[in-house]
Amino acid sequence: MGLIHPDASAKTLWDVIIALVIVYSVIMTTYRIAFAVQATGSLAGLDVLVDLVFAADILVTFNTAAADPDGLLLIDRGAIAKAYLASWFPVDFLSTVPIDRIVLTASPGAAEEGLLLRAFKLIRAVRLVRLARIARLVTQSGIVDRVETGLGLHPAVFKVLKLFLLMFFFAHLFACGLYGGSDCASSAASASSASVSPGALCWVDKYCQSDGACLDERDPYMHYLASLYYSFAIMTTIGY
């Protein structure tokens, strides 16, 4: 098997796929951590596919010519492997191993009970290391410039598109923090172990419509939409 040139069109396409998979993974991981949602059915299968894609990316990186500090391409596999192992490999490996699924398999109740729930969330948060892969793609492959050239968009249009995508991404992160960082995420656990009713310490139970339907009676998806709405309101207006 020959080495892959970092500027090859196939490598650019692969980098785009990896970037999209990373964004999907980070969005879903933060959503599940904040709103205590477990992947089931086809989504669980998609998570396995995502892990396989990341594992494949490690193999691709081992077989891609890399630039040395002087800007010259390394074409010796030993030198490429040594450079990769000493730089981004630990990050890539840590973000690929499904630690959360391993823990969940070993302790089925970890995602449901008090302190175990908090520990499980911290373990799952390790997957957010995948954000560092975006940094590697941007700094080493110049993927943003190559995508802009490939799409053939006007630079101003491309900048506006990037702005909207970044705004939605940060609004999503803020929404997850708004909900998960409050007492909403632990209200159910508190209700089962103390004299606190579900949602009593959470802003969600104060959000009711004119017909009397309150948000705490809805599913996590509606909680997310409400949090996302407030995130955009805070980011784009005076906050209400």
Side-chain angles (χ1 to χ4, degrees), residues 142-225:
I143 185 174
V144 176
D145 293 334
R146 285 193 283 166
V147 168
E148 181 179 0
T149 302
L151 292 177
L153 296 176
H154 190 280
V157 175
F158 190 73
K159 287 181 179 179
V160 172
L161 180 61
K162 285 195 299 182
L163 175 63
F164 277 106
L165 290 176
L166 285 173
M167 182 179 293
F168 175 80
F169 182 71
F170 283 109
H172 163 80
L173 295 181
F174 190 80
C176 292
L178 180 66
Y179 187 93
S182 67
D183 292 312
C184 302
S186 59
S187 60
S190 299
S192 63
S193 58
S195 57
V196 180
S197 59
L201 302 177
C202 175
W203 60 268
V204 168
D205 70 316
K206 306 296 191 299
Y207 188 88
C208 299
Q209 299 177 350
S210 57
D211 60 359
C214 293
L215 194 60
D216 63 333
E217 301 171 355
R218 305 297 181 86
D219 57 23
Y221 179 70
M222 292 302 298
H223 296 173
Y224 171 72
L225 290 181

Side-chain angles (χ1 to χ4, degrees), residues 129-152:
V129 173
R130 288 174 175 175
L131 273 174
R133 286 189 176 220
I134 288 287
R136 175 166 67 87
L137 287 176
V138 172
T139 58
Q140 292 188 353
S141 68
I143 185 174
V144 176
D145 293 334
R146 285 193 283 166
V147 168
E148 181 179 0
T149 302
L151 292 177

Side-chain angles (χ1 to χ4, degrees), residues 54-109:
F54 283 133
D57 185 53
I58 292 178
L59 296 178
V60 169
T61 304
F62 271 118
N63 289 278
T64 300
D68 64 10
D70 297 325
L72 300 176
L73 284 182
L74 298 175
I75 57 175
D76 178 70
R77 291 185 181 276
I80 294 172
K82 183 178 179 180
Y84 182 40
L85 290 172
S87 56
W88 287 99
F89 177 77
V91 173
D92 291 349
F93 180 79
L94 185 63
S95 63
T96 299
V97 177
I99 301 176
D100 54 338
R101 280 203 295 276
I102 294 174
V103 172
L104 189 59
T105 300
S107 304

